[in-house]
């Protein structure tokens, strides 16, 4: 690998992939003497200011899943002079002029269309298949996702799939009583609370959480959802449930630390960062016993079948905080670099 390009255009978003880019790339650059070129939507993004010197930044203000991505991006890649493209997502241009490596986080639309249109599902499957077939190497963020790739596309670990678990930022640590009081005041959380962090798409199964919490009839605590989007807006909230929007990453550690437990009834996760973030902050975890959650949940987590009865009992009898065994992004960067070099 002489000169590697990294597609960082998703760093502008607040999705899991956006966080993956902003955490992994700086550590990747610090772990290597190779020269890198980053393709970004905006050169003035704050996270770019801390990068090391062995990097060239190319502004490619091209939306994902767009026609421009297919028409303009290949020429930008070619003009950059890179030898290899690393994409932290599956959507590589169909006419990518150089070899590439992709990270696959999940195969969610294969399992849960989440009300995506028929056209979007077809485009997703077409682009995913092309990327999986043509990639020189695939990084799967969990053994579960690697298994999904094998089930759907017949590619397996040991052929061209490498499993590299994600990391947790050192930002996620247990916070002091003063910080917890401050975040409670900021979001008007006057009572004890259980905490959910994530979107409210179909596979997240948030309605089950609401139903289970209602059945549990917890007299001294609320259920707080850190969730936004049209699906979250349609949720029916009761007097002992509350939804927060616009919560910044800086507030999450104190929220996790203050919560009685973190809860998720998600039916499908390619990794499950909030589970590990919560545990790293000393927060007990109640989660679904399935998908990648089973693989990454720390010891001491209460893993349940996704039923109202099971989660209702979990609310009534939450676990104690377990041990956190989160990996650092330095480790993730070293393993990712090894995958990029071992072509």
């Amino acid at each position: 690998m002489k000169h590697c390009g990294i597609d960082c255009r998703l760093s502008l978003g607040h999705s899991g992939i956006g966080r993956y880019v902003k955490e992994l790339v700086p550590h990747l650059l610090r772990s290597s003497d190779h020269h890198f070129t980053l393709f970004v939507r905006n050169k003035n993004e704050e996270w770019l200011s801390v990068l090391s010197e062995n990097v060239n930044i190319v502004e490619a203000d091209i939306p994902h899943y767009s026609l421009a991505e297919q028409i303009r991006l290949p020429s930008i890649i070619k003009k950059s002079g890179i030898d290899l493209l690393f994409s932290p997502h599956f959507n590589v241009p169909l006419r990518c002029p150089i070899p590439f490596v992709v990270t696959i986080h999940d195969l969610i639309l294969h399992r849960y269309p989440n009300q995506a249109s028929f056209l979007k599902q077809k485009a997703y499957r077409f682009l995913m298949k092309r990327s999986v077939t043509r990639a020189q190497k695939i990084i799967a963020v969990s053994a579960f996702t690697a298994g999904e790739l094998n089930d759907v596309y017949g590619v397996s670990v040991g052929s061209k799939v490498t499993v590299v678990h994600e990391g947790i930022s050192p930002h996620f640590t247990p916070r002091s009583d003063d910080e917890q009081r401050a975040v409670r005041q900021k979001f008007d959380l006057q009572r004890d609370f259980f905490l959910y962090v994530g979107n409210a798409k179909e596979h997240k199964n948030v309605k089950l959480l609401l139903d289970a919490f209602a059945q549990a009839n917890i007299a001294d605590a609320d259920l707080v959802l850190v969730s936004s989007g049209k699906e979250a807006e349609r949720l029916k909230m009761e007097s002992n449930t509350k939804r927060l929007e616009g919560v910044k990453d800086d507030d999450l550690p104190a929220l996790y630390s203050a919560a009685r437990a973190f809860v998720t009834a998600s039916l499908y996760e390619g990794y499950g960062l909030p589970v590990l973030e919560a545990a790293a902050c000393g927060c007990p975890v109640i989660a679904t016993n399935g998908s990648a959650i089973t693989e990454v949940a720390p010891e001491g987590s209460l893993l349940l079948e996704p039923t109202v009865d099971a989660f209702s009992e979990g609310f009534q009898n939450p676990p104690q905080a377990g041990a956190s065994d989160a990996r650092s992004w330095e480790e993730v960067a070293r393993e990712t670099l090894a995958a990029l070099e071992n072509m």
Side-chain angles (χ1 to χ4, degrees), residues 92-153:
V92 176
L94 299 176
R95 296 186 299 109
C96 185
I98 57 172
F100 61 86
V101 173
V102 295
T103 296
I104 303 295
H105 297 265
D106 56 53
L107 274 68
I108 185 64
L109 287 191
H110 288 75
R111 308 304 189 191
Y112 293 93
N114 284 313
Q115 300 178 357
S117 67
F118 176 76
L119 182 61
K120 183 176 180 179
Q121 292 181 56
K122 293 290 286 186
Y124 166 91
R125 289 170 182 258
F126 176 72
L127 289 173
M128 174 77 83
K129 184 176 181 179
R130 288 274 295 189
S131 291
V132 168
T133 302
R134 295 182 57 218
Q136 299 293 303
K137 181 162 288 188
I138 298 167
I139 295 172
V141 299
S142 63
F144 171 77
T145 294
E148 290 280 86
L149 285 166
N150 191 35
D151 288 346
V152 177
Y153 296 110

Side-chain angles (χ1 to χ4, degrees), residues 260-274:
R260 183 174 293 184
F262 169 80
V263 290
T264 176
S266 179
L267 299 172
Y268 188 100
E269 294 293 334
Y271 193 67
L273 272 178

Side-chain angles (χ1 to χ4, degrees), residues 48-63:
L48 297 172
S49 63
V50 301
L51 299 182
S52 57
E53 295 181 356
N54 61 330
V55 62
N56 181 41
I57 299 176
V58 174
E59 193 164 273
D61 190 13
I62 299 172

